[in-house]
Amino acid sequence: MFLVTRDGVPVPRNEEVRRAAADTALVATLPLDPEGRTWLRLDGPGGSEAWLIGWPPGTGTGWHDHGGSYGAFATAAGSLREDSLAHRLPTDGRTGTTLELPEGIDRTRELSPPQGRAFGPHHVHQVLNTADHTHAVSVHAYYPPLPLMRRYSRSGQALRLEQIERPEDWQ
């Protein structure tokens, strides 16, 4: 099961997401594209949603959040770099809003199989496949299912809300 209850809220379990990422038969079902990321929606238990994602070399998500959902992800193949902010940001806002980020909040993690991580509802990050020639594959789970994603641009310590996507934009 992907979920564990924390303070009465079901949240994705990192070890369960890592177990799904280690399922070679599942990972093999994902078609890989040489240029663009690919997705396969998985049945997530208990009202969660999960995704198997393929990452061609040089691709990434850009800075984003998960609309207040809890999440976890694990690398199934290749290697991914996660850049994140160790700072709670407002979870609302209008496009065009710019936040000045304090110094010292940037974090970077390199995640190779079976590494992963869980995160809370205020997490802002970008995930990248920095490899030159190797695809990466990962499993992601969210609870509640993503109500939206906020996309940001970043210039130095300025983070600007550029776009708000809804599920119909990516499903």
Side-chain angles (χ1 to χ4, degrees):
M1 183 160 167
F2 281 117
L3 303 177
V4 64
T5 301
R6 183 183 303 145
D7 298 327
V9 176
V11 298
R13 293 174 52 153
N14 192 31
E15 60 269 15
E16 296 299 333
V17 173
R18 281 195 313 246
R19 187 172 296 127
D23 182 341
T24 56
L26 173 66
V27 172
T29 65
L30 180 67
L32 298 177
D33 182 292
E35 296 179 18
R37 289 190 304 144
T38 53
W39 300 266
L40 180 62
R41 186 168 184 177
L42 306 173
D43 291 327
S48 67
E49 83 178 324
W51 296 86
L52 186 61
I53 302 176
W55 307 77
T59 60
T61 60
W63 288 96
H64 67 281
D65 70 18
H66 304 97
S69 292
Y70 287 83
F73 75 97
T75 305
S79 180
L80 293 170
R81 184 181 87 204
E82 180 198 31
D83 299 325
S84 62
L85 303 176
H87 185 74
R88 187 174 176 159
L89 298 176
T91 57
D92 57 358
R94 297 175 191 215
T95 54
T97 302
T98 301
L99 299 168
E100 193 65 30
L101 302 172
E103 295 288 333
I105 64 167
D106 289 291
R107 303 290 181 265
T108 297
R109 291 178 179 84
E110 295 290 334
L111 301 164
S112 297
Q115 295 173 312
R117 71 181 311 270
F119 50 84
H122 300 282
H123 190 65
V124 175
H125 69 167
Q126 66 177 354
V127 179
L128 307 147
N129 178 0
T130 60
D132 291 330
H133 305 292
T134 307
H135 262 78
V137 177
S138 57
V139 175
H140 301 246
Y142 306 99
Y143 186 86
L146 296 174
L148 57 88
M149 290 178 69
R150 293 177 195 88
R151 300 275 180 190
Y152 300 91
S153 62
R154 180 154 182 204
S155 177
Q157 294 306 110
L159 189 71
R160 180 181 168 89
L161 178 57
E162 298 290 348
Q163 181 179 7
I164 299 173
E165 296 177 359
R166 306 256 178 230
E168 56 270 16
D169 296 326
W170 65 78
Q171 291 183 357

